[in-house]
């Protein structure tokens, strides 16, 4: 749309102005991260991925903490989305590993963030065809959300919706398996 294109052009202009100014590298990385999120939301996936990768590289060079990399890997996984399921899974797993460490260190601070990461990882497993891991990971997400936010937290709705998708896939696959076995039984 014209409005989205205008926003994109303003944002690119801002990005080029920022490149010419002196910023601390961490501030610059955070700015790139925010621009990448905007680009991803505008459908500019390739540019969003490029900026997220640059953000993570800068954050590693600056020695940023685990929390910063946790956010970066989550955002990169979301930028890849369904366009590259393998890379989406790689970055979801990287975020999960760091998120698990952060959650153990400070459960109150990271419970919901980690549970959301598990939700994303679960969907990545589902999209990559690993229904067992998808269900187990989603169950862990639900467990954390319930323990730290309660039975009626809004974030559970997303997890229950995703579990329904998994159950539907399982029923479909089981039905398909049955039809294939019935078809083959005539030949064996």
């Amino acid at each position: 749309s014209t409005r989205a294109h205008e926003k994109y052009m303003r944002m690119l202009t801002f990005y080029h102005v920022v490149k010419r100014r002196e910023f601390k590298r961490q501030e610059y990385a955070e700015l790139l991260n925010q621009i990448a999120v905007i680009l991803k939301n505008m459908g500019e996936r390739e540019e969003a991925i490029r900026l997220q990768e640059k953000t993570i590289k800068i954050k590693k060079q600056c020695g940023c903490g685990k929390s910063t990399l946790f956010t970066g890997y989550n955002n990169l996984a979301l930028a890849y989305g369904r366009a590259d399921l393998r890379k989406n899974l790689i970055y979801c797993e990287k975020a999960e590993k760091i998120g698990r460490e952060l959650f153990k260190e400070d459960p109150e601070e990271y419970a919901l963030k980690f549970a959301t990461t598990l939700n994303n990882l679960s969907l990545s497993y589902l999209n990559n065809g690993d229904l067992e891991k998808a269900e187990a990971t989603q169950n862990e997400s639900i467990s954390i959300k319930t323990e730290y936010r309660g039975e009626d937290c809004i974030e559970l709705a997303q997890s229950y919706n995703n579990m329904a998708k998994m159950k539907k896939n399982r029923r479909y696959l089981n039905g398909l398996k049955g039809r294939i076995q019935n078809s083959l039984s005539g030949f064996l």
Side-chain angles (χ1 to χ4, degrees), residues 1-129:
S1 77
T2 304
R3 187 171 162 214
H5 181 70
E6 288 172 6
K7 284 183 180 180
Y8 175 66
M9 294 309 293
R10 279 195 309 260
M11 193 256 329
L12 278 180
T13 301
F14 177 68
Y15 169 67
H16 290 293
V17 168
V18 166
K19 282 179 77 172
R20 287 188 225 119
R21 294 188 59 199
E22 285 297 316
F23 278 94
K24 291 182 181 175
R25 290 188 57 76
Q26 290 178 348
E27 292 171 347
Y28 180 62
E30 188 52 39
L31 179 63
L32 291 180
N33 176 62
Q34 294 303 318
I35 293 171
V37 169
I38 292 167
L39 286 169
K40 181 243 173 214
N41 291 336
M42 292 175 58
E44 299 290 333
R45 186 175 309 276
E46 291 81 19
E47 185 65 11
I49 289 168
R50 189 182 72 72
L51 290 182
Q52 282 296 355
E53 288 173 341
K54 187 172 184 175
T55 298
I56 290 171
K57 182 179 178 181
I58 292 169
K59 288 177 178 182
K60 284 180 176 179
Q61 290 171 346
C62 292
C64 291
K66 289 187 281 190
S67 178
T68 308
L69 289 174
F70 172 63
T71 301
Y73 286 135
N74 269 315
N75 289 341
L76 188 52
L78 292 172
Y80 274 109
R82 290 181 179 227
D84 189 330
L85 295 176
R86 186 185 60 77
K87 286 189 177 179
N88 171 269
L89 180 60
I90 288 168
Y91 289 110
C92 280
E93 287 177 334
K94 285 183 178 200
E96 183 268 341
K97 181 180 177 187
I98 295 171
R100 190 170 299 281
E101 292 173 16
L102 292 169
F103 177 59
K104 285 179 183 176
E105 292 170 10
D106 190 351
E108 293 299 323
E109 172 71 22
Y110 288 99
L112 189 56
K113 293 173 188 173
F114 180 56
T116 300
T117 297
L118 290 173
N119 181 70
N120 295 340
L121 178 58
S122 173
L123 290 175
S124 188
Y125 284 139
L126 179 65
N127 292 332
N128 279 282

